[in-house]
Amino acid sequence: MNTKLKKAFIGISFAALFLLGGCSQQKKAKPNPVLTNSQVVQKAKKSFRSGQVIQSVTLGTDTSSQVALANTTFGGESTVYHITNQTTSKGKSSSSEEWVNLNNVYINGRNTWYKADLEKLTGHSYSDLTDAIMNNRLIHNPSDTLIKAYKMKRNKNEKTYTLTANIKDKDLMEKAASPIFNTVAQSSNQAKVFKQIQKYGKYKNMTVKTVVRDDKLAGFNVFVNMKLGKMMTVKVGQSYGNFGSHDFLKVPTSATNAKPLPTTDNNSKKK
């Protein structure tokens, strides 16, 4: 092969490699398939170790409202709950801070921590709390009724799927509201009031919203609307977010060194 022919052959080879390289760069990645409602629900079912949830019970009339709210961060190896409770009535609010670890509750009372039995104090147990928050059935085991009711919107740029549903199935509404009623109560007396509301209230409708982003649950909320008597309405809510933000949550030492909560024994009287 003479010199001129060799140079031409080398030039053609480099040009071919360049063109092949250009073609490979122009190949576009295959788009991810669009998920169905059921597939999005399956993505949402993946367990979460930690996050934040706001639970609330609101009683209202045309002129006033009362709100019991629990803002809870949760997480850790054996799930612990850090709860800020707030009660608002007649324009006045009161709040309290507590940590829950198993059936122990640690309460912050004017910068002094006290320890008590969770169930005796609030009317609900650690198991109830875990059932309502960590094992939420609307997320982990949704009924066929809910799945069929979901309407989906997709944002392909953000890789986000949003499912929304408006439900009027009484049985499903009761099952959604019950764990919230059972765990928002901040005292055993309030727990009794909530049981009466469940007994006499009439369920009207429920809205549910599930957000899945990058194949993971990014947000979830449910609101149940009820009627109590002729004048009063009840709204029960639960909103999740900040998943994965408290995986290593622990009860602080300042709380675990708590004093026993003082109790009043009505049966002890002077003879």
Side-chain angles (χ1 to χ4, degrees):
M1 186 183 292
N2 61 39
T3 304
K4 288 183 178 181
L5 190 58
K6 184 185 276 188
K7 287 181 178 179
F9 181 80
I10 292 171
I12 291 170
S13 298
F14 277 124
L17 287 171
F18 178 80
L19 288 172
L20 287 171
C23 288
S24 64
Q25 289 176 359
Q26 290 176 7
K27 285 183 180 179
K28 294 182 179 179
K30 291 182 179 180
N32 292 326
V34 178
L35 301 179
T36 64
N37 282 18
S38 295
Q39 288 172 326
V40 175
V41 168
Q42 291 300 319
K43 300 286 185 184
K45 281 185 180 182
K46 293 179 181 178
S47 62
F48 44 83
R49 284 184 59 191
S50 69
Q52 181 178 5
V53 60
I54 297 174
Q55 300 188 116
S56 61
V57 175
T58 303
L59 284 73
T61 64
D62 291 340
T63 58
S64 64
S65 66
Q66 299 176 48
V67 183
L69 182 147
N71 187 345
T72 304
T73 54
F74 58 90
E77 289 299 324
S78 176
T79 307
V80 299
Y81 302 92
H82 182 211
I83 308 170
T84 300
N85 294 307
Q86 183 173 311
T87 301
T88 303
S89 179
K90 297 180 180 179
K92 295 181 180 180
S93 295
S94 61
S95 61
S96 63
E97 178 191 9
E98 63 188 38
W99 288 86
V100 175
N101 184 13
L102 298 178
N103 219 37
N104 298 315
V105 57
Y106 305 91
I107 308 160
N108 190 354
R110 296 183 180 179
N111 298 319
T112 299
W113 287 94
Y114 298 97
K115 179 180 177 181
D117 181 282
L118 176 66
E119 191 163 8
K120 289 179 180 178
L121 185 72
T122 66
H124 62 260
S125 67
Y126 177 85
S127 178
D128 293 332
L129 202 57
T130 299
D131 187 58
I133 295 175
M134 296 298 293
N135 303 327
N136 190 312
R137 287 168 179 76
L138 292 180
I139 299 173
H140 298 300
N141 190 26
S143 67
D144 290 338
T145 302
L146 176 57
I147 295 173
K148 289 177 182 177
Y150 270 137
K151 293 182 179 180
M152 183 173 70
K153 287 186 178 181
R154 173 177 171 253
N155 186 326
K156 63 180 180 180
N157 295 325
E158 296 181 359
K159 299 180 181 179
T160 300
Y161 290 86
T162 301
L163 300 176
T164 55
N166 196 320
I167 301 288
K168 293 188 177 180
D169 183 278
K170 183 183 176 183
D171 182 61
L172 189 55
M173 287 190 284
E174 286 180 344
K175 288 179 179 178
S178 180
I180 303 170
F181 273 123
N182 291 347
T183 53
V184 172
Q186 297 165 29
S187 68
S188 57
N189 286 336
Q190 196 173 57
K192 290 176 183 177
V193 171
F194 288 167
K195 287 188 184 299
Q196 292 298 306
I197 293 173
Q198 287 178 272
K199 184 177 181 179
Y200 295 108
K202 293 184 178 180
Y203 290 88
K204 305 298 288 183
N205 74 302
M206 173 176 78
T207 59
V208 186
K209 181 178 179 180
T210 301
V211 180
V212 170
R213 184 178 297 114
D214 292 326
D215 292 335
K216 295 179 182 179
L217 183 63
F220 175 86
N221 64 56
V222 55
F223 292 98
V224 181
N225 295 300
M226 304 172 66
K227 188 80 173 176
L228 187 63
K230 294 182 179 180
M231 302 295 292
M232 186 166 286
T233 60
V234 183
K235 188 171 188 176
V236 185
Q238 189 177 45
S239 299
Y240 286 82
N242 296 326
F243 293 109
S245 56
H246 301 283
D247 285 355
F248 305 100
L249 194 66
K250 291 183 179 180
V251 181
T253 305
S254 57
T256 55
N257 288 335
K259 303 175 181 179
L261 183 68
T263 57
T264 302
D265 186 357
N266 294 324
N267 296 320
S268 60
K269 297 180 180 180
K270 291 183 180 180
K271 294 182 181 180

